[in-house]
Amino acid sequence: MNVRRLVLALTLLASGVTLAGQAGQAPPQTSQPSVDEIVGKHLDAMGGLERLKDIQTMKKVAKVTMQGRQATSTMYFKRPNLSRQEVVVDGKTVISAFDGTTPWIINPLTGFNSPVTVSGAQAASIREDSSFDGPLVEYKFRGTLVDYVGRESLGEGEVYHLRITSASRQVRHLYLDATTYLEVKLAADVDRTKLEQLSSDYRDVDGVKVAHHLKTVVNGAVQGEMQLESVEFNLPIETALFRMPKG
């Protein structure tokens, strides 16, 4: 995978306020929890719906390893659905952003020093995943369908597998730890590419649980890892930061 597509994958998968192992069906359970029960416990584990809704902006700084190359990533997020990621690779800065309508990128590593828009299935997925709160917060209000697939084995533990279908019929699969109810895996098929994010190393940041280690898997192979160095909430961030520059 080239750097441009990998950066897009990292942006798509790392934007949530939101192990390795192959999932498989565990033995049938004596009682099946409802979707609302699972979602409610997940939101409580994250810090509670009220606390999550209090967050208006977020900034993350991380060290990133992509296909053996080291990089530094700075990510900005603002309600309702604005995002920007700056990845410094080999002294050059790759920028990928979403202004609420259009996803765009500047990638000097491939000779594109001017901004270009992202189109097709990748753009549709970025739009779907751009919600500041992630897929489970007030999902019914957004017209999202959440189905309980089952309790499964993942790595050394068990997870609740949820199938999430957006209002525009984009499908993702979310796996929550069956004990902590925190996200451990998010999977999606984008433009005939299977993308997976594995989340671990949860830490408390101002009353909210944030995964500090993210692993990006593309078509079954690890393509990138991200270790957060800092997370800050409710910093003043101008909306202009997310707009695509002219030219």
Side-chain angles (χ1 to χ4, degrees), residues 1-205:
M1 170 175 283
N2 61 38
V3 174
R4 177 172 182 245
R5 291 192 65 186
L6 181 54
V7 169
L8 284 171
L10 288 169
T11 302
L12 169 65
L13 293 174
S15 61
V17 173
T18 70
L19 337 240
Q22 185 66 33
Q25 280 301 123
Q29 304 298 306
T30 56
S31 61
Q32 177 174 307
S34 69
V35 167
D36 285 342
E37 287 174 336
I38 295 174
V39 172
K41 289 183 178 181
H42 166 69
L43 296 179
D44 288 343
M46 290 292 293
L49 181 59
E50 183 176 346
R51 177 69 187 104
L52 293 174
K53 298 294 285 184
D54 282 342
I55 301 172
Q56 300 299 309
T57 65
M58 178 169 53
K59 178 183 177 182
K60 298 179 179 180
V61 178
K63 292 296 184 183
V64 179
T65 303
M66 301 184 297
Q67 299 176 334
R69 306 168 78 175
Q70 301 296 315
T72 300
S73 174
T74 303
M75 296 158 281
Y76 303 89
F77 308 95
K78 185 174 183 177
R79 286 190 184 277
N81 59 352
L82 309 179
S83 65
R84 177 185 175 110
Q85 182 179 30
E86 302 170 359
V87 181
V88 180
V89 183
D90 298 337
K92 298 182 179 180
T93 301
V94 179
I95 301 173
S96 51
F98 182 61
D99 64 4
T101 302
T102 303
W104 56 273
I105 190 169
I106 299 175
N107 190 355
L109 297 176
T110 55
F112 291 97
N113 295 305
S114 299
V116 295
T117 59
V118 179
S119 60
Q122 288 181 330
S125 294
I126 290 171
R127 292 188 184 96
E128 288 295 338
D129 289 315
S130 64
S131 172
F132 188 94
D133 289 311
L136 295 181
V137 174
E138 298 180 336
Y139 70 91
K140 294 179 181 178
F141 177 78
R142 298 202 298 259
T144 299
L145 299 177
V146 179
D147 297 308
Y148 175 56
V149 177
R151 181 165 173 153
E152 304 173 359
S153 298
L154 183 63
E156 297 180 355
E158 293 190 346
V159 295
Y160 292 116
H161 177 184
L162 301 177
R163 181 174 58 247
I164 300 172
T165 307
S166 70
S168 62
R169 314 310 294 174
Q170 297 284 327
V171 178
R172 289 163 290 169
H173 294 267
L174 182 65
Y175 302 82
L176 303 178
D177 185 279
T179 301
T180 66
Y181 288 88
L182 296 173
E183 177 183 324
V184 296
K185 178 179 174 180
L186 178 67
D189 291 320
V190 180
D191 197 17
R192 297 186 298 278
T193 300
K194 184 176 182 180
L195 301 177
E196 298 174 285
Q197 174 183 275
L198 306 177
S199 303
S200 60
D201 189 16
Y202 278 89
R203 305 180 193 179
D204 186 279
V205 180

